């Protein structure tokens, strides 16, 4: 592959900013150039007029806008066909009525293969170059997911959804504790960093992924902690759900605290899962750990996540769908926790992370009292891109256009989606140049739809969607 120049209006969050300081790291290049070298890495990024002479004869690809690839830090592979499913209630009812029956279908190899192709196509259409994917309970489906992801050229972190206990509706997904650990260990051995052999460069990576604390037992958590101790040094991940539904009396959080007799939900993942939050095993928290939702977290839980480098996958779209409430944005950021965005397909009904960013803006401007905040466009872009790379502990490799990083990016042509073209071309802008730039970025993110994404690239290579 020879060096290529991509010319467009470029937006990205440069460097390695603290989440509370991202606005100062926003880069806007109205007539920008991204030079991708033969190895698929960023050789240079700047104003097209300043393009170094060594690339003056390189081929130029034009687009209206160029953004880093979106990172979806929480999406369910076996729920891809269950978006917009009416469960008649909040989280636990929705799982019983919609999700457990849907996920059980992935035991069939043909269905799983079709589902993997569909999931991969939806990711490419939405510009999701990297994703933390909650996997299927069935190894045959996980194998199909990894094969399709590898063939398409995308990035994935996934792991089979572990359930060792559950209601009758989840019976097809439940295994014994010993079988659960054996299957996870086998998945790690067969697939983790299979493409490069190095967790810092691999596009295919594996995690330990219990559905949530109610789907396992103290014995399972202890065994997962032992397994994680043995593989953490290989760059294996941990991923699950935390503090999503706080319905009084019979909601998720009440059920976890009642079942385990612990002081906080996070304790169950932090090795303190015995009654009274006594120590029972190794922690599952760390730099390669991401917990989805964290809508109703205690201050001590946020502090512990920040201390361990554990990230939160914020899923405002699905929280609206299931009536889960609103994660307090400013309080969570102030605690020092890295917060990225997740579609949470299928409770989330938006594959496009920029639309999740739009929901993020809407819910937090509507928080009550002093908590309400209008998020800066740079904060939204950061949450959709670099924060996701940080959650995956891959910020060294992608997430922005710093020189030497992998060239993971999206090309956007506004005329492919007439409403976007109208908003960007004819919308009113401030006379102040800096303010007008922020207004343009905000409209691009919130108004973007999938048809306007004209190219999806990972390591400088165009992602290839499988045929259904």
């Amino acid at each position: 592959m020879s060096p290529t120049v991509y010319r467009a209006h470029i937006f990205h969050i440069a460097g390695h900013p603290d989440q509370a300081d991202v606005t100062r790291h926003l880069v806007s290049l109205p007539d920008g150039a991204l030079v991708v070298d033969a190895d698929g890495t960023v050789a240079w990024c700047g104003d097209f007029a300043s393009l170094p002479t060594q690339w003056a004869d390189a081929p130029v690809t034009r687009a209206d806008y160029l953004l880093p690839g979106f990172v979806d830090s929480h999406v369910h592979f076996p729920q891809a066909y269950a978006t917009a499913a009416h469960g008649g209630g909040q989280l636990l009812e929705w799982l019983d009525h919609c999700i457990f029956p849907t996920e059980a279908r992935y035991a069939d190899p043909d269905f799983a293969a079709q589902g993997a192709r569909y999931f991969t196509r939806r990711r490419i259409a939405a510009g999701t170059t990297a994703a933390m994917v909650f996997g299927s309970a069935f190894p045959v489906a996980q194998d199909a997911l990894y094969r399709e992801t590898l063939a398409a050229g995308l990035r994935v972190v996934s792991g089979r959804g572990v359930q060792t206990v559950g209601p009758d509706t989840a019976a097809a997904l439940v295994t014994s504790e010993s079988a659960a650990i054996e299957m996870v260990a086998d998945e790690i051995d067969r697939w983790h960093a299979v493409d490069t052999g190095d967790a810092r460069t691999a596009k295919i990576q594996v995690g330990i992924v219990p559905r949530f604390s109610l789907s396992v037992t103290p014995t399972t958590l202890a065994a997962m902690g032992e397994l994680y101790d043995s593989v953490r040094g290989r760059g294996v991940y941990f991923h699950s759900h935390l503090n999503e539904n706080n319905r009084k009396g019979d909601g998720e959080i009440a059920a976890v605290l009642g079942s385990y007799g612990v002081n906080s939900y996070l304790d169950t993942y932090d090795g303190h899962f015995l009654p009274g939050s006594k120590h029972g095993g190794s922690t599952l928290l760390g730099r390669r750990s991401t917990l989805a939702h964290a809508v109703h977290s205690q201050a001590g839980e946020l502090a512990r996540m920040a201390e361990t480098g554990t990230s939160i996958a914020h899923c405002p779209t699905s929280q609206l769908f299931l009536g889960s409430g609103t994660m307090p944005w400013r309080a969570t950021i102030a605690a020092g926790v890295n917060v990225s965005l997740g579609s949470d397909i299928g409770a989330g009904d938006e594959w496009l992370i920029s639309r999740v960013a739009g929901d993020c803006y809407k819910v937090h401007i509507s928080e009550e009292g002093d908590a309400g905040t209008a998020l800066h466009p740079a904060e939204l872009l950061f949450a959709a891109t670099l924060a996701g790379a940080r959650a995956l502990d891959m910020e060294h490799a992608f997430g922005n256009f710093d020189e030497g990083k992998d060239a993971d990016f999206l090309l956007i042509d506004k005329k492919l989606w007439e409403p976007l073209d109208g908003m960007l071309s004819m919308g009113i802008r401030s006379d102040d140049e800096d303010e007008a730039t922020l207004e343009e970025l905000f409209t691009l993110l919130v108004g973007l739809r999938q048809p306007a994404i004209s190219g999806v690239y990972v390591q400088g290579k165009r992602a290839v969607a499988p045929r259904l």
Side-chain angles (χ1 to χ4, degrees):
M1 186 172 71
S2 59
T4 302
V5 176
Y6 295 87
R7 185 179 182 180
H9 188 157
I10 296 173
F11 286 108
H12 74 118
I13 305 298
H16 180 72
D18 291 334
Q19 191 145 15
D21 193 36
V22 299
T23 59
R24 295 195 305 111
H25 290 255
L26 174 64
V27 173
S28 171
L29 301 168
D31 185 17
L34 180 74
V35 180
V36 179
D37 68 16
D39 296 324
T41 58
V42 176
W44 187 83
C45 184
D47 291 316
F48 185 81
S50 301
L51 183 69
T53 56
Q54 68 191 93
W55 294 297
D57 296 327
V60 177
T61 297
R62 297 291 298 264
D64 291 322
Y65 294 93
L66 196 156
L67 297 177
F70 292 139
V71 182
D72 190 339
S73 55
H74 182 63
V75 53
H76 290 255
F77 160 47
Q79 294 179 19
Y81 293 125
T83 52
H86 180 249
Q90 294 183 349
L91 174 64
L92 298 183
E93 292 83 7
W94 178 76
L95 289 171
D96 280 338
H97 298 157
C98 302
I99 296 309
F100 295 146
T102 294
E103 292 192 3
R105 300 180 69 190
Y106 284 75
D108 176 75
D110 292 336
F111 186 91
Q114 175 184 307
R117 292 191 296 272
Y118 177 78
F119 183 82
T120 304
R121 287 172 61 86
R122 298 278 60 77
R123 281 190 56 189
I124 293 173
T128 301
T129 54
M132 174 71 84
V133 178
F134 196 104
S136 167
F138 305 107
V140 66
Q142 285 299 99
D143 290 348
L145 172 67
Y146 293 127
R147 284 195 302 267
E148 294 296 343
T149 305
L150 194 60
L154 299 174
R155 300 181 188 272
V156 71
V157 177
S158 188
R160 68 174 300 271
V162 175
Q163 290 193 239
T164 57
V165 292
D168 291 344
T169 52
L173 309 172
V174 174
T175 67
S176 69
E177 288 162 329
S178 60
I181 298 302
E182 289 172 4
M183 284 191 281
V184 173
D186 178 67
E187 185 174 357
I188 293 168
D189 287 343
R190 290 192 299 114
W191 286 109
H192 186 60
V194 69
D195 51 324
T196 69
D198 181 353
R200 285 183 58 82
T201 60
K203 290 187 288 188
I204 306 296
Q205 304 205 50
V206 179
I208 297 172
V209 186
R211 182 181 297 279
F212 56 174
S213 295
L214 292 177
S215 71
V216 293
T217 69
T219 301
T220 317
L221 287 168
M224 286 193 295
E226 292 178 4
L227 175 61
Y228 202 31
D229 282 346
S230 72
V231 296
R232 191 188 287 263
R234 294 165 57 185
V236 171
Y237 293 79
F238 174 76
H239 185 46
S240 194
H241 299 83
L242 176 73
N243 290 329
E244 182 176 0
N245 178 278
N246 198 30
R247 186 170 61 194
K248 300 304 180 185
D250 63 350
E252 173 211 18
I253 296 173
V256 170
L257 299 184
S259 296
Y260 284 88
V262 293
N263 301 320
S264 78
Y265 196 149
L266 188 69
D267 284 345
T268 62
Y269 300 131
D270 200 17
H272 297 276
F273 47 74
L274 298 181
S277 290
K278 292 182 179 178
H279 181 265
S282 298
T283 185
L284 295 163
L285 308 182
R287 286 174 57 88
R288 289 203 161 198
S289 300
T290 297
L291 295 170
H293 303 296
V295 179
H296 307 283
S297 296
Q298 302 173 27
E301 291 176 301
L302 295 176
R304 179 59 176 159
M305 283 187 275
E307 177 187 11
T308 58
T310 300
S311 291
I312 291 172
H314 180 33
C315 307
T317 305
S318 75
Q319 286 152 23
L320 287 169
F321 184 81
L322 291 176
S324 301
T326 301
M327 185 198 81
W329 179 272
R330 291 298 178 206
T332 304
I333 297 301
V337 187
N338 178 55
V339 179
S340 56
L341 293 177
S343 68
D344 197 23
I345 295 293
D349 56 0
E350 294 289 356
W351 289 86
L352 189 61
I353 286 295
S354 59
R355 296 207 70 183
V356 176
D359 285 343
C360 184
Y361 179 86
K362 295 168 192 174
V363 299
H364 295 300
I365 201 172
S366 301
E367 288 189 62
E368 293 184 2
D370 294 339
T373 182
L375 294 183
H376 192 282
E379 292 182 288
L380 299 177
L381 179 60
F382 176 79
T385 57
L386 191 60
R390 185 173 295 176
L392 298 183
D393 195 30
M394 292 292 286
E395 190 175 1
H396 62 277
F398 59 89
N400 62 17
F401 301 134
D402 289 354
E403 187 174 326
K405 286 193 176 183
D406 290 344
D408 292 12
F409 61 93
L410 311 179
L411 299 181
I412 297 168
D413 289 309
K414 59 187 180 181
K415 288 184 173 58
L416 295 175
W417 181 244
E418 184 179 358
L420 181 66
D421 186 23
M423 288 182 282
L424 289 167
S425 300
M426 305 302 291
I428 295 174
R429 296 285 180 266
S430 171
D431 292 333
D432 179 84
E433 184 177 347
D434 290 340
E435 183 61 28
T437 295
L438 299 180
E439 292 170 352
E440 184 175 3
L441 173 59
F442 183 84
T443 299
L444 174 62
L445 291 173
V446 176
L448 180 64
R449 299 295 184 267
Q450 293 184 16
I453 299 174
S454 59
V456 179
Y457 293 78
V458 177
Q459 293 181 334
K461 296 180 180 179
R462 192 172 188 126
V464 180
R467 295 181 179 180
L468 278 180

